[in-house]
């Protein structure tokens, strides 16, 4: 068994690291989103937060693998574990936090409080928090294993001469499961860093499109459930006949609600067209966004007649495009609520708002990122005409 003094040192180091980790997690968690002065200062000086996060995450995965082998292989060596935990605390964790709290936007290098800059930083912060949470499980496991051995030493004096047979089977499984959690969190963050801005906007747009189409399908099914149709349970004494009333089911669309039914049909039809728009935007605009072109020089702008947008302008346009794309599914939620309340006026307002947001998105990127017409330019014109048609 390890000497009691080294076990106590391991326990102390682990608890101290847990306290540090809790501080880091609190500094990254909303609504505070504040950090220590050291982490903030380091973050402000990072040339590329995504590169920093990637390097630190890769290192953390490697350290975790080594640490898990130390835990699985008898005898337990507290000094080696202390060194490994110290390596993670002194460089990896602080680097991850610095990347997550940087005052500069990971893409543009500008301080940004909204739009894509905020979205990118939020995703990075969330990924780092998941990695920190997984590493916290590793620390909890190390502490549990060390305290068990310390307890055995405190209980029996002759235990010090006993051979360390390693972790129990249950402890082995815990080590493997916890290591897997860290790997999974690290792999997700590494994928985010590798995909960068294009990967993020495509992912978000696909998620919003899925939410939109799910809501449209629910509206369609609700509209098909017309109140007043013959109910096979009507007039019966079945104990479940009044479940809808008992559990407060949504209002049904009555046969007499002709205008509301017509508005619902129109909404479902045109919102499906909006879903088609998302698909086209993802393929023709988001996936073709220039990943890292340099800002045009004065000579380049002069050569282009001053008509080309700078990279900063193009990025700002993408930021605003994502705002519109996010607003549509959010508006559809309000639209559905208006229909369920049988409020025709509010439903009309929300439907027009959803279509307006979609048309604003089209107008912003009617031309390609380099300012030329292409296939999407022609298609988008036809799409707008179809949406505006009665």
């Amino acid at each position: 068994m390890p000497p009691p003094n080294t076990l106590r040192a391991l326990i102390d180091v682990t608890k101290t690291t847990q306290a540090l980790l809790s501080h880091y997690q609190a500094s990254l968690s909303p609504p505070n989103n504040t950090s220590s002065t050291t982490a903030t200062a380091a973050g402000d000086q990072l040339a590329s937060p995504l590169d920093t996060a990637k390097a630190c995450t890769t290192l953390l995965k490697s350290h975790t693998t080594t640490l898990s082998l130390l835990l699985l292989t008898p005898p337990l060596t507290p000094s080696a574990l202390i060194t490994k935990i110290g390596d993670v605390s002194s460089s990896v964790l602080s680097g991850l936090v610095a990347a997550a709290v940087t005052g500069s936007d990971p893409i543009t290098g500008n301080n940004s409080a909204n739009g894509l800059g905020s979205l990118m930083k939020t995703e990075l912060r969330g990924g780092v928090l998941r990695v920190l949470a997984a590493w916290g499980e590793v620390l909890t496991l190390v502490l549990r294993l060390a305290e068990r051995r310390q307890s055995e030493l405190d209980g029996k004096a002759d235990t010090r001469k006993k051979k360390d047979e390693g972790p129990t089977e249950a402890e082995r499984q815990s080590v493997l499961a916890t290591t897997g959690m860290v790997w999974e969190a690290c792999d997700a963050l590494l994928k985010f860093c590798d995909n960068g801005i294009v990967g993020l906007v495509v992912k978000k747009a696909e998620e919003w499109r899925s939410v939109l189409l799910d809501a449209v399908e629910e509206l369609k099914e609700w509209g098909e459930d017309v109140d007043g149709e013959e109910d096979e349970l009507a007039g019966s004494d079945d104990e479940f006949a009044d479940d809808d009333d008992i559990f407060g089911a949504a209002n049904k669309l009555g046969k007499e609600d002709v205008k509301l039914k017509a508005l619902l049909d129109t909404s479902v039809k045109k919102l499906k067209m909006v879903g088609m728009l998302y698909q086209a935007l993802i393929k023709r605009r988001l996936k073709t966004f220039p990943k890292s072109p340099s800002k045009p020089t004065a000579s380049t702008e002069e050569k282009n007649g001053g008509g080309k947008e700078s990279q900063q302008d193009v990025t700002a346009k993408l930021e605003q495009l994502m705002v519109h794309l996010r607003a549509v599914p959010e508006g559809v939620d309000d639209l559905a609520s208006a229909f369920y309340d049988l409020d025709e006026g509010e439903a009309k307002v929300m439907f027009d708002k959803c279509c307006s947001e979609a048309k604003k998105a089209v107008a912003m990127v009617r031309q390609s990122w380099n300012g030329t017409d292409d296939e999407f330019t022609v298609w988008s014109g036809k799409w707008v005409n179809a949406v505006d048609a009665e």
Side-chain angles (χ1 to χ4, degrees), residues 209-228:
R209 177 177 181 269
S210 178
V211 171
L212 168 65
L213 295 180
D214 286 345
V216 171
E217 189 62 28
E218 289 180 7
L219 273 176
K220 179 183 176 183
E221 293 177 359
W222 176 78
E224 292 172 349
D225 185 19
V226 179
D227 192 19

Side-chain angles (χ1 to χ4, degrees), residues 201-217 271-283 286 325-326 328-330 332:
V201 296
V202 168
K203 174 176 174 286
K204 287 298 181 182
E206 288 175 342
E207 290 175 354
W208 293 332
R209 177 177 181 269
S210 178
V211 171
L212 168 65
L213 295 180
D214 286 345
V216 171
E217 189 62 28
L271 288 175
K272 285 184 177 180
M273 294 173 60
V274 175
M276 294 172 56
L277 171 66
Y278 274 69
Q279 197 169 13
L281 283 170
I282 290 171
K283 180 179 180 180
L286 300 185
L325 294 182
R326 177 173 52 194
V328 175
E330 291 176 351
V332 172

Side-chain angles (χ1 to χ4, degrees), residues 1 152 158-165:
M1 293 288 287
E152 291 176 354
D158 60 352
T159 304
R160 301 179 187 181
K161 299 179 181 180
K162 181 180 178 182
K163 180 180 179 181
D164 186 353
E165 297 179 355

Side-chain angles (χ1 to χ4, degrees), residues 86-222:
D87 290 340
V88 173
S89 301
S90 62
S91 59
V92 177
L93 297 184
S94 58
L96 280 173
V97 174
V101 303
T102 179
S104 297
D105 183 88
I107 300 302
T108 65
N110 300 322
N111 292 329
S112 177
N114 51 42
L116 183 63
S118 175
L119 177 63
M120 195 75 181
K121 286 189 288 185
T122 299
E123 289 290 315
L124 177 58
R125 184 177 291 115
V128 170
L129 277 171
R130 285 187 287 273
V131 169
L132 295 183
W135 178 247
E137 294 298 322
V138 172
L139 293 175
T140 300
L141 179 60
V142 172
L143 184 61
R144 186 166 68 244
L145 294 178
E147 287 181 334
R148 178 176 71 81
R149 285 168 170 77
Q150 183 65 57
S151 177
E152 291 176 354
L153 287 174
D154 294 340
K156 297 180 180 179
D158 60 352
T159 304
R160 301 179 187 181
K161 299 179 181 180
K162 181 180 178 182
K163 180 180 179 181
D164 186 353
E165 297 179 355
T168 65
E169 181 58 29
E171 289 173 339
R172 286 180 59 84
Q173 294 303 317
S174 294
V175 171
L176 295 174
T178 305
T179 303
M181 289 175 57
V182 175
W183 285 354
E184 184 178 357
C186 287
D187 288 342
L189 184 54
L190 289 172
K191 182 178 180 181
F192 166 77
C193 294
D194 286 335
N195 290 342
I197 184 173
V198 174
L200 176 62
V201 296
V202 168
K203 174 176 174 286
K204 287 298 181 182
E206 288 175 342
E207 290 175 354
W208 293 332
R209 177 177 181 269
S210 178
V211 171
L212 168 65
L213 295 180
D214 286 345
V216 171
E217 189 62 28
E218 289 180 7
L219 273 176
K220 179 183 176 183
E221 293 177 359
W222 176 78

